[in-house]
Amino acid sequence: MARKETFITIDAAGRDQGKVFYIKEMSASQAEWWALRALMAMGRGGVEIPDNLRSMGIAAMAVEGLKAISKIPRMRPSRCLMS
C-alpha cells in the first residue's frame, strides 16, 4: 500500500508565508525508530520514562512522550542568543 502524502502551503503572514512543505507518511518501522531515539534522548535528559513503555503501542508511546516533554522546565534565553 502506498504511503499517504500531501503538500502544505503556508498562507499565514510572516517569514514562512508561501513556503510549501511535502509531507509523506512514515512507515511503521521508521516511526518506531524515531520514537525510540526521541525517548532515549528524553531519558538522557533526565525526563522520567514509564517502566511499562515497552509494552505500549506506538500511539501510547507518543502520548507518554508528549506528557514527558510538557514537564521539561522552560529555559530562559541567554543574552548571547538575544543579540
Side-chain angles (χ1 to χ4, degrees):
M1 178 168 25
R3 307 256 181 260
K4 293 180 185 176
E5 51 188 62
T6 189
F7 289 92
I8 304 290
T9 303
I10 306 301
D11 296 324
R15 68 180 189 166
D16 292 331
Q17 186 173 21
K19 287 185 181 176
V20 178
F21 295 90
Y22 170 69
I23 300 173
K24 185 175 181 181
E25 182 179 28
M26 276 187 190
S27 68
S29 59
Q30 281 180 307
E32 185 177 13
W33 178 244
W34 185 92
L36 180 62
R37 289 181 60 205
L39 289 167
M40 287 177 12
M42 286 188 288
R44 282 191 307 270
V47 175
E48 190 174 322
I49 308 284
D51 292 333
N52 64 341
L53 187 66
R54 296 182 126 213
S55 64
M56 297 178 170
I58 193 75
M61 289 174 100
V63 169
E64 289 300 319
L66 290 172
K67 283 182 193 175
I69 289 171
S70 71
K71 293 177 184 174
I72 296 173
R74 182 176 169 190
M75 293 177 58
R76 293 182 54 169
S78 68
R79 289 180 165 250
C80 64
L81 296 176
M82 297 177 72
S83 54

